[in-house]
Amino acid sequence: MINKMRTSFLATPYAIWVMICTILPLFYILGYALTNDAGSFTLSNLTAIADPVHLKSLWLSIRVAFFTTAICLLLAYPVALILHNLKLTNKGLVVFLFILPMWMNFMLRILAWQIILSNNGILNSILSTLGLPTLHILYTETAVTLGMVYDFLPYMILPIYNALSKINDQVVEAAADLGANWWTTFTKVTLPLSKDGIISGIIMVFVPALSSFVVSNLLGGGKVLLIGNVIEQEFTLARNWNLGSGLSIILMIFVLLSMSVMNKVDDSENGGMPV
Amino acid sequence: MNKFKKGASSLYLALIFLFLYAPILVLIVLSFNDSMSRTVWGGFTLKWYANLSSNDNIMEALGTTIKITLTSSIFATILGTTAAIGIHYMKKRHTAIMLGATNIPLLNADIVTGISLMLLFTRFTPLGEFSVILAHIAFSVPYVIFNVLPRLQSLSEACFEAATDLGATPMYAFYKVVWPEIFPGVLSGFLMALTMSLDDFTITYFTKGAGVNTLSTMLYTQLRKGIQPELYALSTILFLLAFALLLVINFKGSARKEVVKNEK
């Protein structure tokens, strides 16, 4: 018999670590958010979100994050499905192919998109050789969204692929045997059973997309100001840590809200369907 | 019809992989480009590779990156593995609390994690390499825990008990029975921590202080002045090394699985 009490003490260093490096920093950011320069209590750092400039950035961030997530989902689901249908014996290889790009520096990969998308860049040379009209999307919201889709796509593919691998093939075969066509099988069996993967994919894409500031910096060229850019500038340029912390707290609230919405979707659908 | 479907899926996969790997291809091509311009091809050269080792800035940033990545992922793996074992044997209620706390760095926005750690660190320690390492451990431990924990959960306790019943000390039984089972989880957790640490920019950016630069933060400062082409060369080398390393791990792993299958 394993001495459970004694073994669970192995988690003590980690528990202390969590207190210091996870929980305590959150109190610090809350402390800064709720005080002013002089250290007295104020809510103005939080209400500053109502400033039209901040509100515009927040709205833009939500829009970009929404489109990024939606496009990632639309692109990723077929990829996961096709990979799943290949019935690879070596599942690690799939993960490997999507993780590998991360070993090329993230900043350089986004920079490469700058080179690809620029007015006399690679994409436009290809388009003009083909006799197609050229695109001028660099330094626009479209380019920022494209960069984010590129950066976060693996985070959508992998959880969906994992969820699909867990589906018992016999369930799918049973549906087909009972006369369901491909589409019915997909919408009634495969899709509902892969819902957990979709939800974790959405969270893993939406949260970083909502808060990113590097992609918008590189591909937005300073013209696309997301809430992440505003927060970063408060810390680096304006040196107003209190306001930066206040806006971070607002960002956190939006992250928590979007996650609780996703979890609600998860629960309500679970309740309606015997799993 | 079936043939058409197969062709369409292959084409789709190929397009997605083109999308994911196109920027990498661009960077590899640039590393051989004999021109400082990013958009003009000036002929093939190896000079950026040759110049690499004499570029002190880049070598220093590379050294810092390696130091931070290795130290933080090794510590994260040790801390995360012991934590996972401890959490696995906790009371259910405590497990839920610990897992909730472990989820925080994963679900929180990077910028918030980076800023909150910076606010804490500035109070107690000057920002520098040490604070970056602490920050990297903080965001990579959860990856280790969530890789090791499922391995522990699928482990049969009876094996460990059988080993101790047959006279093994708990340490020996752990080493012989538990460790081989959880090792793949520990390894993939370590690799995840390594990848996340290497690829991180945001959290490093906020916790590094002045004077310390990893490759990511150095690139960020160079974006306006223009990137030193040696950095393309270095990234190509790192990418190809990772490619080779992961390929070896992957095929060795699958070869071992095949052997086990055949033995059965």
Side-chain angles (χ1 to χ4, degrees):
Chain A
M1 177 73 200
I2 298 171
N3 190 332
K4 290 193 175 180
M5 269 301 281
R6 224 167 53 195
T7 316
S8 69
F9 275 114
L10 278 174
T12 315
Y14 178 64
I16 296 167
W17 173 270
V18 164
M19 293 300 276
I20 296 173
C21 284
T22 308
I23 312 288
L24 194 59
L26 293 180
F27 280 104
Y28 263 87
I29 206 166
L30 195 66
Y32 270 92
L34 294 176
T35 51
N36 59 16
D37 273 358
S40 52
F41 177 81
T42 174
L43 284 175
S44 65
N45 296 316
L46 297 178
T47 51
I49 191 66
D51 180 322
V53 180
H54 298 157
L55 218 49
K56 199 180 147 209
S57 293
L58 183 63
W59 171 237
L60 186 64
S61 302
I62 292 174
R63 201 165 62 201
V64 169
F66 174 80
F67 281 116
T68 302
T69 313
I71 296 169
C72 276
L73 183 57
L74 287 177
L75 288 178
Y77 205 97
V79 176
L81 206 57
I82 293 167
L83 287 173
H84 173 65
N85 288 337
L86 287 179
K87 299 274 176 269
L88 296 170
T89 45
N90 189 358
K91 294 219 158 67
L93 190 69
V94 176
V95 180
F96 161 75
L97 283 171
F98 291 106
I99 296 283
L100 186 63
M102 288 186 199
W103 282 72
M104 192 64 129
N105 191 288
F106 149 75
M107 199 81 64
L108 279 178
R109 280 180 289 136
I110 299 298
L111 187 81
W113 276 109
Q114 218 179 46
I115 299 165
I116 296 173
L117 297 177
S118 66
N119 283 344
N120 46 4
I122 297 165
L123 184 65
N124 278 339
S125 348
I126 295 172
L127 286 175
S128 59
T129 345
L130 292 174
L132 295 167
T134 54
L135 292 169
H136 301 277
I137 58 169
L138 188 60
Y139 304 139
T140 64
E141 203 183 317
T142 316
V144 175
T145 310
L146 184 136
M148 286 196 191
V149 168
Y150 166 77
D151 199 23
F152 302 134
L153 189 61
Y155 297 114
M156 187 66 92
I157 295 175
L158 293 176
I160 297 177
Y161 177 72
N162 275 336
L164 289 175
S165 325
K166 281 185 194 138
I167 297 177
N168 186 344
D169 284 338
Q170 287 170 340
V171 181
V172 180
E173 282 163 26
D177 287 348
L178 293 169
N181 61 21
W182 182 85
W183 180 247
T184 316
T185 313
F186 175 71
T187 51
K188 296 277 179 194
V189 180
T190 313
L191 197 59
L193 285 176
S194 60
K195 199 187 58 212
D196 283 349
I198 296 175
I199 286 173
S200 48
I202 289 178
I203 290 175
M204 282 172 85
V205 173
F206 189 79
V207 173
L210 192 65
S211 58
S212 166
F213 67 94
V214 183
V215 177
S216 46
N217 227 335
L218 265 72
L219 298 179
K223 286 178 210 156
V224 182
L225 215 57
L226 301 183
I227 190 74
N229 298 91
V230 176
I231 295 174
E232 188 240 14
Q233 285 174 6
E234 287 304 331
F235 276 93
T236 52
L237 295 175
R239 297 233 157 242
N240 190 342
W241 289 16
N242 301 94
L243 180 55
S245 301
L247 295 176
S248 303
I249 294 283
I250 301 282
L251 179 64
M252 253 175 93
I253 292 172
F254 270 86
V255 167
L256 289 175
L257 270 180
S258 53
M259 273 190 306
S260 65
V261 168
M262 286 318 294
N263 285 331
K264 268 254 169 62
V265 173
D266 200 9
D267 288 345
S268 64
E269 281 185 25
N270 259 346
M273 206 186 51
V275 177
Chain B
M1 183 59 201
N2 210 5
K3 219 172 194 175
F4 168 76
K5 219 167 135 185
K6 239 185 183 159
S9 348
S10 310
L11 181 69
Y12 183 73
L13 266 193
L15 283 174
I16 290 289
F17 277 112
L18 179 69
F19 177 60
L20 287 176
Y21 283 87
I24 291 169
L25 218 63
V26 169
L27 294 167
I28 293 177
V29 170
L30 277 177
S31 75
F32 296 111
N33 183 12
D34 195 2
S35 154
M36 285 295 274
S37 161
R38 287 191 219 151
T39 42
V40 181
W41 176 251
F44 181 88
T45 180
L46 286 172
K47 72 176 172 199
W48 309 125
Y49 289 89
N51 290 352
L52 194 57
S53 59
S54 53
N55 188 321
D56 290 341
N57 271 336
I58 293 181
M59 287 330 255
E60 202 191 319
L62 175 68
T64 313
T65 308
I66 293 175
K67 196 153 86 186
I68 289 170
T69 299
L70 276 182
T71 322
S72 69
S73 46
I74 289 170
F75 270 97
T77 307
I78 296 169
L79 188 63
T81 307
T82 47
I85 296 169
I87 290 171
H88 182 61
Y89 291 112
M90 273 180 177
K91 285 183 197 137
K92 247 197 163 134
R93 191 162 45 97
H94 294 170
T95 306
I97 296 171
M98 288 304 280
L99 291 186
T102 304
N103 259 315
I104 293 175
L106 289 182
L107 297 178
N108 219 341
D110 273 1
I111 189 170
V112 177
T113 307
I115 288 170
S116 64
L117 285 168
M118 178 198 71
L119 294 176
L120 173 77
F121 292 156
T122 46
R123 285 296 169 96
F124 299 104
T125 161
L127 295 181
E129 255 172 47
F130 181 64
S131 60
V132 177
I133 290 174
L134 284 182
H136 278 224
I137 297 173
F139 74 73
S140 47
V141 169
Y143 293 101
V144 179
I145 293 180
F146 286 121
N147 270 294
V148 176
L149 213 48
R151 291 273 167 179
L152 283 165
Q153 280 156 356
S154 62
L155 188 74
S156 157
E157 239 169 76
C159 293
F160 182 84
E161 280 164 25
T164 46
D165 284 352
L166 291 169
T169 61
M171 268 315 281
Y172 187 75
F174 172 82
Y175 177 68
K176 281 286 178 188
V177 179
V178 180
W179 181 248
E181 282 299 312
I182 64 170
F183 179 70
V186 175
L187 186 67
S188 56
F190 173 71
L191 286 177
M192 285 277 270
L194 206 66
T195 311
M196 294 298 158
S197 169
L198 193 71
D199 199 46
D200 175 71
F201 164 75
T202 307
I203 292 169
T204 312
Y205 177 65
F206 281 107
T207 52
K208 78 184 178 64
V212 177
N213 260 329
T214 63
L215 288 172
S216 299
T217 58
M218 187 170 82
L219 272 165
Y220 193 66
T221 51
Q222 284 188 5
L223 284 176
R224 292 202 176 21
K225 298 183 288 183
I227 305 285
Q228 294 173 292
E230 287 91 341
L231 279 167
Y232 302 131
L234 176 61
S235 303
T236 303
I237 295 174
L238 285 177
F239 176 77
L240 293 178
L241 274 180
F243 183 71
L245 183 74
L246 291 178
L247 216 59
V248 168
I249 291 174
N250 230 283
F251 282 100
K252 231 176 148 187
S254 60
R256 202 178 300 137
K257 263 182 224 153
E258 287 299 313
V259 171
V260 173
K261 241 186 238 164
N262 291 342
E263 277 172 1
K264 273 179 189 166

